[in-house]
Amino acid sequence: MLRIWRFAAYSTKPKMTPTVTPLHAYAACAQGAWLVDIREPAETNLGYAQGARLIPSAVLVDELLRLALDQATPILLICQRGVRSNAAAQALAAAGFSAVQSVAGGS
């Protein structure tokens, strides 16, 4: 019984990143937020959100640290459906970025 309880205490379910609507993202960008499309270059060749910075998720944390972006800067992540943006947001939070959100619905 104790083994079951101990297992239940550690959830393997990933944390969900706060999401914003595309309209909110547009307004936030006008106030200085960074909109970052984290899809791979082959995917963005088909199109991407207007005004987004193109930084693939595999290099996102390293690239934002290299750019010395203030870790309190609002960052809005967008991908195709929102799955990768959630994982990328968790990586950014672990690196100290405190204002990361995902754009609902992807692009």
Side-chain angles (χ1 to χ4, degrees):
M1 179 90 162
L2 178 60
R3 289 170 61 182
I4 294 171
W5 178 83
R6 291 177 77 196
F7 178 74
Y10 298 100
S11 174
T12 58
K13 187 175 181 181
K15 287 182 170 181
M16 292 306 295
T17 302
T19 60
V20 296
T21 65
L23 186 59
H24 177 85
Y26 180 78
C29 288
Q31 299 293 319
W34 275 43
L35 177 62
V36 181
D37 192 320
I38 62 167
R39 293 177 296 156
E40 296 300 315
E43 295 174 277
T44 57
N45 287 340
L46 301 173
Y48 56 91
Q50 183 178 359
R53 292 165 172 86
L54 306 177
I55 307 173
S57 60
V59 298
L60 179 63
V61 173
D62 291 338
E63 185 65 13
L64 293 183
L65 291 173
R66 185 188 70 75
L67 293 170
L69 182 66
D70 182 340
Q71 292 184 327
T73 299
I75 300 171
L76 308 172
L77 301 175
I78 192 166
C79 62
Q80 186 174 358
R81 293 183 321 209
V83 175
R84 285 178 281 183
S85 62
N86 187 57
Q90 299 307 314
L92 287 174
F97 290 90
S98 60
V100 181
Q101 296 178 310
S102 177
V103 179
S107 68

